[in-house]
Every structure is written in structure tokens, then in C-alpha cells.
Amino acid sequence: MRVEVKREDPARARTDALIVPLSKTERVPRALQALDTALGRRIQSYLEAAEFRGKAAELVAFPAEGIAAKTVILVGLGTEEELNAEALRRAAGAGIKAAARRRAASVALVVPSVRRLAPADRAQALTEGGLLGAYRFDRYRELEEPRGALDELVLLSADAREGSALRRGVKQGRIAAESARLARDLSNEPGSVHTPEWMADQARKLGREVGLKVKVLAERELEREKMQGILSVGRGSANPPRLIVLEYNAPAGGARRRPTLALVGKGITFDSGGISIKPAANMHEMKHDMSGGAAVFGALRGAALLGLPQHVIGIVPVAQNMPGAGAYLPGDIVRAASGKTIEVLNTDAEGRIVLADALHHAQRFKPDAIVDLATLTGACVIALGSACCAVMGNNEPLIKRVQAAGDRSHERAWPLPLWDEHKKQIKGDVGDIKNTGGREAGASTAAAFLSHFVGATPWAHLDIAGTAWTTREQPYCVKGATGFGVRLLLELLRDWSAL
Ligand code: BES
Ligand code: MN
Ligand code: ZN
């Protein structure tokens, strides 16, 4: 979709749907009075009749008469005090969904003036909400009448001084949202489609499109690298595992050493549980167990298109966890690439085993920091639900930074402990470490497991099991994959400085 900024009177905007965000109010704000007059005071009468009051997520649509647009969509922002970037994302998402339901091909959105938010941040939030709200995974739909393809979003601002800042925000928002849409697309594909080799193909394609170096380790290379973690987990499947490495390097220039950041994403392309097989209910959702990897693909795409001033490595171990004839077994002892041995008590705790090899591999690049994202534990979903992911790690400043980036993107992260107690809980009986520590503190013991493979590198682990998938429609999400983590990572990278 094209996104543009125009300095135009909303009454003159030739568009299928004019989206007008409004804070909670009883009176049409000054900036919209000319528009309301052209509309025959229609907005004011809605407010007076309390048909629309500007409450968050409130929506009213009516055929436009007296202006150039075909339809007007009023969308509530909530109270002025609550007004922040997330309110703008939600309003833009809800507005654009309403426009899409009306089969709009073009949409214009009035940029509200929000004193607390710089113009670039406003434009970024509106663009993110709009583009993510317009997302649907409909490539397999044949029966439903196709929706008109929404192909143009115009941000309208009367303030000439804001123009260039708004354009900057649009660029950032477009790249972030489109990268999150890529992550959603990857995760929403069925497990039988997004196999490890398919994921590798997508990485190669992405590399060609945006300029990333892509390396794929197939079985022979995995053997050579002694990555028995990835190989063991992949052994029960007819679709062999891979390790995908994506590399973005900032354009040369400047004498300063570019920081190197490693992003590692769990890429279990389907998690049946393996021999420790999962119950049937909701097992289909486990096609999205590669969402950490998808977020890493999205972040690398974004880093390249934004031309960020860093060296970013994306490492995605991809494997299908299946109970096939060659499957690894409960009781197996697997030697990870680092040399440490893992006692497999439960083949369903597979994510940490593939991540062990991937995190170890990350150290080869001598990164300043490692951030991993993984749909790792059901325990995290129980602890924190779907409103935030969990963050754990070995470096407080890094954890704080992840939280701050999460707040800015509203992909929020909340800390859980990672203490010696948790490390003790997974001490092996016959090997070095067990792959589960029982039901207590499941998210923390999973993180404790990972901590064995990051050496002394500053590291943060994001357990996104509760946030990568949604079973509820939300203002800028549909049911299915959310693309969670892409925007958080881009915010984290954007203002990176030495830890
Ligand atoms: N992929 C799952 C975790 C998961 C659960 C992701 C719900 C998304 C939503 C992971 O591989 C898993 O099966 N974890 C087990 C670990 C246990 C066996 C120690 C779990 O959490 O039950
Ligand atoms: Mn599992
Ligand atoms: Zn899993």
C-alpha cells in the first residue's frame, strides 16, 4: 500500500473513506470545524446526540455529502489524558478496518494534533496502525467475495511546518509495519508449507530483495558444526532442519566501530511435541512456533530498509518437531554444539534445544549483545497472558532497554527472574543440564537453560509464547499471527548505543 502525506483540506480530499480521529469531547474541535461545516454540521449532531463521543474504539460511519470523500468514518481516540501513540495506532487500525469493510480502495486520515507527541511519532503510529489494521491473511480464501484492494493511505495535515517530520514518521512506520506483516505472513502459513527449507528460501528471497547476506546450513554443515541440538529435534520429521543466518551491515563510512547485534529467533515450523506428543486441542496453533524466527526476519528486513548504523546478524534455527520413526527420544542425551550435554526429559521442550546451538553460533560473530525471541513456554502464557512478553537475561541495562523499546512500540516486555535457583532446578542427573525443570517457574527455568549457551555476552531472552498469536480480533490485529517483536526490535536497534 502506498502511504503519503498531503497538506490538504480534509473536505477536499478525493478518497473513498475519510477517517477522522476524535478525542472524547462534546464539541467539534477547532481544527475540524471547516470540515464539519462542509458536512452540514453532521459531526456536531452526532456528538450532541451522544451517538459518538470519541471514546476509545468507538466508530461511526456515514456517507459523505458536501465534501470530496465518499464516506466519513469517525473514530474515537479516548480522553486527551490517555492519548498516546498506542491510541493513534488503534484508531488508525479500527478506522482502516471499517474502510476495508466498505471496500474502500483509498483512505485519507486526518492527523490529529497531539501536543505530547512529536509529528514524526504521530505519523509513525498512524501508519503502523493503518498498515497493520489493513492486514489479512487471505491468500487461501476462494469463497468469500474478495475485498477491494486497499492501495492508498494519505495522511492529511494542515500544518505546513510538520510536513517533513510527518514524512519521516511515515517512512519509519511503513517499514516497521510492512516488516511485521512479513512476519505475520510467514507464521500464518500452514506447517506443511513453511517447512525449514521453505523458510530458507524465504530468507534467500528476502536477502535478494533488501540486500542481506544469507547463509543456510543444511544437514551436512550442521553435522560439521556439531549442532546435535538442531539435528536431534529435526530428526523425527521428513522435512530436515536448517540453520538460517541473515546478515545486515550498515553502509561503510565513519571511523566508529559499528556495534554488532545478534538476533536469534526460535524457528520450530511445527511443534507437535514430538514423542512427548501434545494434546490435540489447539495443536494447530503450533504452526506459529517459528514466530521468533519470523520476527528476526522482519527485524533484519527493517534494519536494511532503514539503513540502520549497525551490524545485525539474524540467526534462526528451523526444525519441525515431529514423532517420526527417527525422532529423538525422552531419555536421550544430546551433545550441543558448545559441548554441553542435554538430558532430554521431554521432547516437547524442543525450542531451548535448537536455541542452544543457535545462541552458541551467535557468539562466533562477537556481538555486543544477543537478543533472542522464542515462543518458548506455556508457563509464560500462564504467568503474563497476552498483554506482554516476558524478558529475562544476564544484563540489567539491556533488559531495561528492551522494556523501553517495548513501551515505545507497545510490544511490551515484563521481567521475570532468572536466578541461581532456576539454574539449580535444571541441573542434570546424568548429563550437564535437563531440558525441563518441572512445572515450577517454567519460563525462568527455560531462560536458565538458554543462559548456558550465551557465554559472557550481554543477552536478553524474550518469551513471546503469549503474544505471537491472538485468538481475538484487535484494532490492528486479526486472529492469527501478530508479528510481535519486529517493531520492538526496530525500536531497540534504532537508538542503540554501547551498553
Ligand atoms: N512451543 C511450546 C510453547 C508454547 C505454548 C508456545 C503455548 C505458544 C503457546 C514449547 O515448545 C513447549 O511445548 N513448551 C513446553 C515445555 C515443557 C514441556 C517443559 C510447555 O510450555 O508446556
Ligand atoms: Mn514444544
Ligand atoms: Zn515449541
Side-chain angles (χ1 to χ4, degrees):
M1 191 184 326
R2 248 176 318 131
V3 189
E4 276 174 51
V5 174
K6 271 193 199 155
R7 188 171 154 234
E8 188 173 40
D9 177 356
R12 293 237 169 88
R14 283 193 183 288
T15 181
D16 290 335
L18 178 69
I19 301 175
V20 186
L22 269 173
S23 292
K24 202 153 180 287
T25 180
E26 273 152 31
R27 191 162 291 131
V28 175
R30 231 199 356 231
L32 294 176
Q33 271 165 11
L35 173 67
D36 195 35
T37 306
L39 286 167
R41 312 234 331 130
R42 187 96 184 236
I43 302 178
Q44 183 60 39
S45 26
Y46 275 111
L47 292 172
E48 275 165 18
E51 294 257 3
F52 178 87
R53 280 170 297 177
K55 288 190 298 186
E58 210 180 359
L59 205 114
V60 151
F62 54 87
E65 272 160 39
I67 66 171
K70 291 186 193 145
T71 303
V72 175
I73 298 171
L74 305 181
V75 51
L77 288 169
T79 63
E80 296 260 12
E81 299 86 76
E82 299 163 350
L83 191 42
N84 55 20
E86 179 62 4
L88 295 184
R89 276 185 213 104
R90 289 185 181 174
I96 216 147
K97 277 188 184 183
R101 281 196 295 274
R102 288 166 177 77
R103 309 207 179 282
S106 61
V107 165
L109 204 161
V110 179
V111 178
S113 64
V114 183
R115 252 166 288 121
R116 253 176 302 141
L117 281 176
D121 294 335
R122 268 185 275 149
Q124 182 183 344
L126 291 168
T127 306
E128 288 178 358
L131 295 187
L132 292 173
Y135 176 84
R136 304 220 316 169
F137 183 68
D138 51 11
R139 50 176 305 205
Y140 293 100
R141 270 187 200 280
E142 306 293 351
L143 290 179
E144 224 169 74
E145 214 180 307
R147 273 198 199 170
L150 227 173
D151 64 3
E152 185 188 65
L153 169 63
V154 178
L155 301 191
L156 300 175
S157 158
D159 191 339
R161 292 162 305 178
E162 292 188 343
S164 67
L166 289 174
R167 267 178 268 276
R168 239 187 308 123
V170 163
K171 182 182 175 200
Q172 177 81 29
R174 188 171 45 70
I175 291 171
E178 283 171 353
S179 302
R181 286 169 59 114
L182 165 70
R184 289 181 182 181
D185 271 342
L186 294 171
S187 291
N188 281 328
E189 283 292 346
S192 293
V193 173
H194 66 201
T195 59
E197 183 52 28
W198 186 91
M199 288 289 286
D201 276 338
Q202 299 304 304
R204 295 183 190 106
K205 185 168 134 226
L206 178 63
R208 283 193 301 273
E209 280 169 10
V210 305
L212 300 169
K213 212 164 107 188
V214 177
K215 208 173 150 197
V216 177
L217 278 61
E219 291 123 299
R220 228 155 30 103
E221 290 94 355
L222 293 171
E223 292 281 359
R224 205 175 49 219
E225 298 286 338
K226 301 189 163 49
M227 296 192 174
Q228 289 302 326
I230 297 173
L231 285 164
S232 298
V233 170
R235 201 160 280 144
S237 168
N239 303 110
R242 301 281 185 262
L243 182 78
I244 302 170
V245 182
L246 305 143
E247 190 169 352
Y248 161 72
N249 216 339
R256 280 206 348 263
R257 194 190 81 86
R258 292 186 208 94
T260 297
L261 298 161
L263 308 178
V264 178
K266 172 177 172 180
I268 296 298
T269 62
F270 186 73
D271 183 10
S272 70
I275 295 295
S276 315
I277 199 160
K278 288 181 180 295
N282 298 326
M283 199 203 274
H284 68 279
E285 289 180 6
M286 282 301 120
K287 70 175 186 177
H288 90 282
D289 209 18
M290 33 56 74
S291 293
V296 169
F297 278 38
L300 267 287
R301 178 189 184 276
L305 291 177
L306 290 167
L308 295 180
Q310 294 114 11
H311 180 205
V312 188
I313 317 285
I315 302 178
V316 183
V318 279
Q320 200 181 41
N321 188 22
M322 294 290 280
Y328 80 134
L329 305 174
D332 277 357
I333 301 173
V334 173
R335 187 180 302 277
S338 75
K340 291 190 187 177
T341 56
I342 300 166
E343 274 177 59
V344 179
L345 301 190
N346 188 322
T347 63
D348 197 12
E350 82 298 337
R352 63 199 76 183
I353 301 178
V354 299
L355 288 169
D357 287 345
L359 291 167
H360 178 72
H361 191 68
Q363 289 177 65
R364 176 165 313 178
F365 298 91
K366 304 207 178 332
D368 296 76
I370 302 177
V371 177
D372 82 74
L373 297 91
T375 46
L376 205 59
T377 68
C380 178
V381 189
I382 301 301
L384 296 177
S386 57
C388 62
C389 70
V391 56
M392 290 153 274
N394 61 7
N395 183 291
E396 274 308 311
L398 178 60
I399 289 172
K400 284 270 168 338
R401 260 190 221 185
V402 166
Q403 279 192 272
D407 289 343
R408 290 199 296 280
S409 56
H410 204 76
E411 294 189 323
R412 291 177 294 181
W414 199 255
L416 289 178
L418 197 188
W419 292 328
D420 285 343
E421 286 84 342
H422 305 117
K423 293 182 187 160
K424 277 214 195 87
Q425 223 175 306
I426 53 164
K427 261 206 157 91
D429 295 326
V430 289
D432 297 323
I433 0 171
K434 299 190 282 204
N435 81 327
T436 87
R439 283 160 57 83
E440 282 186 17
S444 293
T445 53
F449 180 101
L450 300 180
S451 74
H452 278 276
F453 301 94
V454 297
T457 312
W459 157 72
H461 157 63
L462 279 61
D463 193 330
I464 61 170
T467 52
W469 183 265
T470 179
T471 50
R472 277 177 301 122
E473 175 121 4
Q474 283 159 56
Y476 56 92
C477 278
V478 281
K479 288 181 192 178
T482 60
F484 186 95
V486 174
R487 292 184 302 108
L488 181 155
L489 288 174
L490 290 176
E491 284 295 330
L492 181 71
L493 294 175
R494 187 143 79 126
D495 61 7
W496 185 264
S497 57
L499 277 167

